[in-house]
Amino acid sequence: MQWTDRIRQVKIILVVAAVIIAVASLLVSHFLVRDLSIEERHRMEVWAQALHALNEADETTDVSLVLSVMEGNNTIPVIVMNSEGGIDDYRNIDDTTNVERYARSMIKAGDTIRIGQQLVCYDESIMLKRLQAWPYVQLGIVLIFVVVAIFALLSSKRAEQNKVWVGLSKETAHQLGTPVSSLMAWVEMLKEQYPQDDLLPEMDKDVKRLQLIADRFSKIGSLPEPVDASMNDVLVHVIDYMDRRTSSQVQMIRHLPDHEVIVKMNASLFEWVVENLCKNAVDAMEGKGTITLTLFDEPHQVVIEVQDTGKGIKKKDLNSVFTPGFTTKKRGWGLGLSLAKRIVEEYHKGRIFVKQSEPGKGTTFRIEMKK
């Protein structure tokens, strides 16, 4: 749970940092663009005055300074229009075929200066336009950085979880192996000495159950090869097991097709998935209610639904139910559903999700397996 909270905190910090950088960049660029826009306005006013002085000059007037001012404008597009709307002159314009249309767009934007009978129209320089676009480019770079950072963080988290799963599974299987073998030997000895004892068959079932659990843990640490198996048999085994291990107030209902539904899977691990869902359902119902297992044989997939009449899952928790460490129980590690998701999606290339849940009415989990 602490690891999950830490990941969530880091993601929030990254997003907040990205927002702060984006807002700061937009504000700084806004003030720079505003100041440069004012500066260019002043430059065009000086340029317009120089144009007016050139028009008013006679043969004796020294126009060298005026020409220097006019020639100094190499970045700001400018169009000079006469009183009749014709074009007298233009500078720094690449597309000379649409000068009149360009001038009308300048007039519409209000970027004009009137000097005598002439109207000087101008546009923002290329540098100013690039500066206006730069914050959005920077924002895109920051967003890409945040996405890559979060993806790397989640990948690191997933890799660490995989190492934990494999290490824990192998160690558990190893630790269970020796005592289970010893118990099996003791049970066989007791059967020879007390062949009529009614408790020994039940003890034998429990020992075999421990052996099955050890076998499951050993397979979690590797990628077991799926084989053709009957999904009907898997669900029947789970229902029989749950019937023996739960109170009479829990009713197990099955809806299975009349024909065998064959799926490529590891039956032992898949039984574990359905058992986990059923055990969670029993806990959610607090030992009293109905669990319904339904098997659908569809054209391209096999669907299993596990429905209970328990307390349901809150909406805010629906996206977290498969997260390792998440649990609503007072006692529990929060690993059951995470393990179920791993078995279904990574080992069987299927899909498991909460189909429906309503507080106070129950929850339905759905598993989809490709044929």
Side-chain angles (χ1 to χ4, degrees):
M1 195 67 178
Q2 292 178 352
W3 174 256
T4 304
D5 292 339
R6 194 179 304 118
I7 291 293
R8 187 179 293 111
Q9 290 171 1
V10 172
K11 288 194 289 185
I12 291 173
I13 291 172
L14 287 173
V15 172
V16 170
V19 171
I20 292 174
I21 293 172
V23 171
S25 177
L26 289 173
L27 287 174
V28 171
S29 298
H30 170 74
F31 290 122
L32 287 175
V33 168
R34 184 195 62 183
D35 293 342
L36 283 176
S37 181
I38 294 173
E39 170 102 13
E40 289 191 354
R41 173 75 183 186
H42 291 331
R43 287 179 60 190
M44 289 314 303
E45 288 175 350
V46 173
W47 193 90
Q49 292 292 338
L51 176 65
H52 181 66
L54 183 62
N55 292 336
E56 296 294 326
D58 55 23
E59 295 179 355
T60 62
T61 304
D62 184 6
V63 295
S64 59
L65 181 60
V66 172
L67 291 175
S68 177
V69 171
M70 295 189 67
E71 292 296 330
N73 175 28
N74 296 315
T75 57
I76 303 175
V78 59
I79 300 173
V80 181
M81 302 182 67
N82 54 40
S83 57
E84 296 177 356
I87 305 299
D88 287 345
D89 192 13
Y90 56 83
R91 294 179 64 87
N92 305 321
I93 296 176
D94 296 329
D95 186 5
T96 59
T97 59
N98 295 311
V99 177
E100 292 185 2
R101 185 186 302 171
Y102 196 9
R104 286 195 295 271
S105 67
M106 294 176 180
I107 294 172
K108 188 176 181 180
D111 298 328
T112 59
I113 301 172
R114 182 166 292 279
I115 299 295
Q117 297 297 318
Q118 292 181 314
L119 185 66
V120 178
C121 308
Y122 67 94
D123 194 8
E124 296 170 341
S125 64
I126 295 176
M127 184 64 69
L128 187 58
K129 289 181 178 178
R130 287 176 179 173
L131 186 58
Q132 289 174 335
W134 169 245
Y136 300 100
V137 175
Q138 190 177 24
L139 180 60
I141 294 172
V142 171
L143 288 176
I144 292 173
F145 167 77
V146 171
V147 170
V148 171
I150 291 177
F151 178 78
L153 191 66
L154 293 177
S155 298
S156 174
K157 170 191 171 186
R158 193 176 297 111
E160 186 169 341
Q161 286 177 351
N162 288 339
K163 289 181 180 179
V164 172
W165 280 123
V166 172
L168 178 64
S169 301
K170 288 184 176 180
E171 182 64 20
T172 303
H174 175 72
Q175 294 295 334
L176 285 174
T178 302
V180 167
S181 300
S182 177
L183 287 172
M184 292 177 68
W186 279 109
V187 168
E188 292 301 321
M189 291 178 62
L190 290 172
K191 283 181 180 179
E192 293 178 1
Q193 295 183 16
Y194 307 99
Q196 305 300 324
D197 196 313
D198 295 334
L199 295 178
L200 287 178
E202 291 301 318
M203 185 183 296
D204 186 46
K205 289 180 182 178
D206 288 337
V207 172
K208 288 180 178 178
R209 177 70 184 177
L210 284 173
Q211 186 182 23
L212 176 63
I213 292 172
D215 179 62
R216 287 173 176 175
F217 273 111
S218 67
K219 290 176 180 176
I220 287 293
S222 58
L223 287 175
E225 187 68 26
V227 296
D228 289 339
S230 170
M231 186 63 76
N232 307 59
D233 291 345
V234 168
L235 298 184
V236 169
H237 291 164
V238 173
I239 292 171
D240 290 343
Y241 173 76
M242 294 300 298
D243 276 338
R244 294 195 305 269
R245 296 300 189 274
T246 55
S247 70
S248 58
Q249 293 181 314
V250 175
Q251 184 181 8
M252 301 289 296
I253 300 177
R254 69 184 79 176
H255 297 297
L256 307 178
D258 295 332
H259 60 279
E260 291 288 326
V261 180
I262 305 300
V263 182
K264 277 192 174 297
M265 61 178 169
N266 183 283
S268 175
L269 288 181
F270 205 84
E271 279 186 27
W272 199 359
V273 172
V274 183
E275 281 178 19
N276 268 322
L277 295 179
C278 291
K279 288 176 181 177
N280 284 343
V282 172
D283 292 337
M285 297 186 303
E286 297 179 347
K288 182 179 181 181
T290 302
I291 300 175
T292 304
L293 278 76
T294 308
L295 175 61
F296 300 97
D297 187 10
E298 298 180 354
H300 302 292
Q301 65 180 4
V302 173
V303 177
I304 304 98
E305 290 188 356
V306 180
Q307 181 180 9
D308 64 62
T309 57
K311 57 186 177 182
I313 303 172
K314 297 177 182 178
K315 284 187 177 181
K316 66 181 183 68
D317 294 333
L318 286 176
N319 294 328
S320 304
V321 293
F322 294 105
T323 303
F326 176 84
T327 180
T328 57
K329 304 175 188 176
K330 293 181 179 179
R331 297 179 63 186
W333 292 94
L335 297 177
L337 289 178
S338 175
L339 181 59
K341 184 178 179 69
R342 180 184 175 92
I343 293 172
V344 171
E345 296 187 355
E346 293 191 22
Y347 293 169
H348 295 89
K349 308 304 177 185
R351 184 169 172 243
I352 181 171
F353 58 95
V354 179
K355 178 184 177 183
Q356 184 180 4
S357 184
E358 188 174 347
K361 292 189 177 181
T363 302
T364 301
F365 281 89
R366 181 180 174 94
I367 302 172
E368 296 175 354
M369 301 272 290
K370 293 180 181 180
K371 285 190 173 181

